[in-house]
Amino acid sequence: MNEKQIFYRDMKECRIPPVHIADAEPEEALRETDELYAAADTLSLMNAERHRRVLLALSAAATALTFAFLLYDEAEMHGLILACGVMLVSLFLIRRASDRLDCHRKYLQYRVLAECLRCRYFLFYAGIKTPVTEILPWTVRKGIPWIAEMLSSLPEGTASEMRPVLDAWVRAQKAYHEEALVKTQIKSRRDDRIAKTVRAVTAMVYIAALVYELFLYGHAGAAGNADAIRAFLKILLGTMSAFALFTSSYYGKMSLSHVIDDHKRMAALFEKAEQDIRREGESEEILVFLARECMNENSAWYAYQSKNSADISI
């Protein structure tokens, strides 16, 4: 079963209520585009959540494995070698489940499809004759050929009348990216605080261990508990390293700095389009340029998000 057939199967099996491009019922020529968009958008969001859960599970299992091994090695809690084995098996089972769900690929490719369909819908809606397949980014045509094939299979033509898209497309998308930018910046600041806190505590524990080894180990040795304190500091330092592994392997996969830049560029793009339309009207040149840039941006998003697959980090 190829990717196109998998999409239609997922579309048929999806039980989540879809969100359509426009509130009003589309005309007959746009109905298939709208239905495909609603399915691609819903399935992309669903698989995005699945992918985030997989990343969280992998990061948590890798951190637990590191912590269990520390206790086994430093605290001589030999029974925890079984926990290490369980966590190691869990990592491979989670990764296998991710491969079987295919959630990362579906999340990205269905989002690319949805954005291409959105552009096609509004170009058609505005009475633009240029097919979206003619301005499709080369990376999408060659990298995700089933999307190009699906777009090519949709009926050609134009809408029965030219209708304005300033509010429905341009202003709506500008508002969406401005709102998403604020939310992403809040998430980024939260993640940065967590990462900085982990690094700061790790540094303090390292300094404490260094001071102990250089100046206090001999005195503690006289009291007979030097090795116990050393083992405790090693476990504590290793635990913080495990938390650092968690923050880098999970939060790092979110690529929030790239997402913030994306929302800034897209908000600026729709702002420019709005100004151009208010000055020159909804010309074919402006709208085709807008559609091309939207798909180019989405193609760039796909390129860097493709690197954030569910990998095992130990």
Side-chain angles (χ1 to χ4, degrees):
M1 186 178 294
N2 60 36
E3 289 91 344
K4 184 178 178 181
Q5 292 169 331
I6 292 172
F7 171 76
Y8 279 116
R9 183 199 64 190
D10 291 347
M11 179 178 175
K12 183 178 180 180
E13 295 176 353
C14 183
R15 296 294 177 264
I16 302 174
V19 177
H20 295 272
I21 295 178
D23 296 331
E25 181 72 17
E27 64 178 81
E28 184 64 31
L30 283 171
R31 189 163 297 156
E32 184 177 2
T33 299
D34 181 61
E35 289 176 352
L36 289 174
Y37 165 84
D41 177 67
T42 301
L43 290 169
S44 177
L45 292 174
M46 182 181 72
N47 282 283
E49 182 59 29
R50 286 178 176 175
H51 180 60
R52 280 190 287 270
R53 289 177 181 176
V54 167
L55 292 178
L56 181 60
L58 282 174
S59 300
T63 303
L65 171 59
T66 305
F67 183 64
F69 184 78
L70 277 168
L71 293 178
Y72 161 75
D73 184 43
E74 298 297 339
E76 298 186 356
M77 300 174 66
H78 301 300
L80 286 178
I81 193 64
L82 296 176
C84 292
V86 171
M87 289 298 102
L88 192 59
V89 171
S90 298
L91 283 170
F92 286 101
L93 289 177
I94 295 168
R95 174 59 191 272
R96 185 176 180 182
S98 175
D99 292 340
R100 187 171 64 253
L101 290 171
D102 200 17
C103 51
H104 187 228
R105 180 195 67 82
K106 290 179 180 180
Y107 158 44
L108 301 184
Q109 294 190 3
Y110 292 176
R111 174 49 51 197
V112 173
L113 173 62
E115 296 308 318
C116 291
L117 288 165
R118 190 203 304 272
C119 291
R120 183 188 190 275
Y121 182 97
F122 283 113
L123 288 180
F124 196 106
Y125 189 86
I128 303 299
K129 297 180 180 180
T130 303
V132 73
T133 50
E134 291 186 8
I135 56 175
L136 197 64
W138 185 254
T139 52
V140 175
R141 294 190 194 187
K142 294 301 178 183
I144 324 174
W146 72 271
I147 291 181
E149 178 185 343
M150 179 175 288
L151 293 170
S152 300
S153 67
L154 294 173
E156 298 292 344
T158 56
S160 56
E161 59 177 313
M162 295 181 63
R163 286 160 293 187
V165 296
L166 179 60
D167 289 326
W169 185 18
V170 179
R171 287 174 176 160
Q173 282 297 289
K174 185 183 76 169
Y176 163 76
H177 286 288
E178 289 174 342
E179 182 179 352
L181 173 61
V182 173
K183 291 180 179 179
T184 308
Q185 287 174 328
I186 292 173
K187 290 180 181 178
S188 180
R189 287 194 292 268
R190 179 201 63 195
D191 295 351
D192 286 343
R193 284 196 300 268
I194 293 172
K196 288 178 180 178
T197 301
V198 170
R199 289 196 297 268
V201 174
T202 303
M204 286 188 290
V205 173
Y206 175 79
I207 292 170
L210 183 63
V211 170
Y212 174 77
E213 291 291 342
L214 293 177
F215 304 107
L216 303 177
Y217 178 74
H219 299 290
N225 56 1
D227 291 335
I229 296 175
R230 174 183 279 173
F232 172 76
L233 287 171
K234 286 182 178 179
I235 292 171
L236 187 57
L237 185 57
T239 300
M240 295 313 303
S241 298
F243 279 119
L245 172 67
F246 174 85
T247 56
S248 62
S249 60
Y250 178 66
Y251 293 125
K253 294 283 187 179
M254 299 297 101
S255 296
L256 292 184
S257 61
H258 291 294
V259 175
I260 288 172
D261 290 339
D262 287 347
H263 286 309
K264 287 180 179 178
R265 285 196 302 271
M266 292 301 290
L269 173 64
F270 283 104
E271 173 65 26
K272 178 183 183 306
E274 181 180 0
Q275 293 176 357
D276 291 344
I277 289 171
R278 292 168 68 179
R279 184 173 58 252
E280 304 174 24
E282 295 186 5
S283 67
E284 179 172 346
E285 180 182 359
I286 290 174
L287 296 183
V288 169
F289 170 81
L290 177 60
R292 180 185 290 110
E293 291 304 311
C294 286
M295 290 189 289
N296 285 338
E297 286 289 338
N298 195 237
S299 177
W301 171 86
Y302 175 80
Y304 74 75
Q305 287 286 359
S306 296
K307 301 176 182 177
N308 294 332
S309 58
D311 299 321
I312 296 177
S313 300
I314 302 177

